[in-house]
């Protein structure tokens, strides 16, 4: 009987998480943060982000495992 209750509890928790992740609980004021809205203050603190360049490491490219 305890195992059945545990399975039902886990199923309800998964359904609740699914509803929250899809925004289904927005009417209750619980909405997950979107990727672009997670930390807008950090985006404002960036200093000239256009100067950032990602370069390939030449020493690691030539090495074979």
């Amino acid at each position: 009987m305890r195992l059945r209750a545990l399975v039902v509890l886990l199923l309800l928790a998964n359904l609740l998480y699914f509803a929250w992740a899809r925004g289904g609980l927005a009417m209750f004021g619980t909405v997950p943060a979107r990727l672009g809205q997670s930390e807008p203050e950090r985006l404002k603190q960036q200093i000239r982000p256009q100067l950032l360049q990602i370069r390939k490491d030449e020493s690691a490219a030539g090495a074979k495992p």
Side-chain angles (χ1 to χ4, degrees):
M1 192 65 178
R2 287 183 186 178
L3 183 59
R4 184 178 296 169
L6 179 63
V7 169
V8 170
L9 181 66
L10 289 175
L11 182 64
L12 287 174
N14 281 322
L15 288 173
L16 186 65
Y17 175 75
F18 179 77
W20 173 78
R22 296 288 180 162
L25 301 177
M27 67 181 105
F28 299 111
T30 57
V31 180
R34 303 285 183 234
L35 292 178
Q37 299 173 349
S38 60
E39 296 186 44
E41 66 276 358
R42 291 197 183 266
L43 292 176
K44 293 177 186 175
Q45 292 175 354
Q46 290 183 357
I47 301 171
R48 296 188 294 175
Q50 67 275 14
L51 296 179
L52 180 66
Q53 295 179 359
I54 299 174
R55 298 181 181 177
K56 187 176 182 180
D57 188 12
E58 297 298 327
S59 63
K64 291 185 179 180

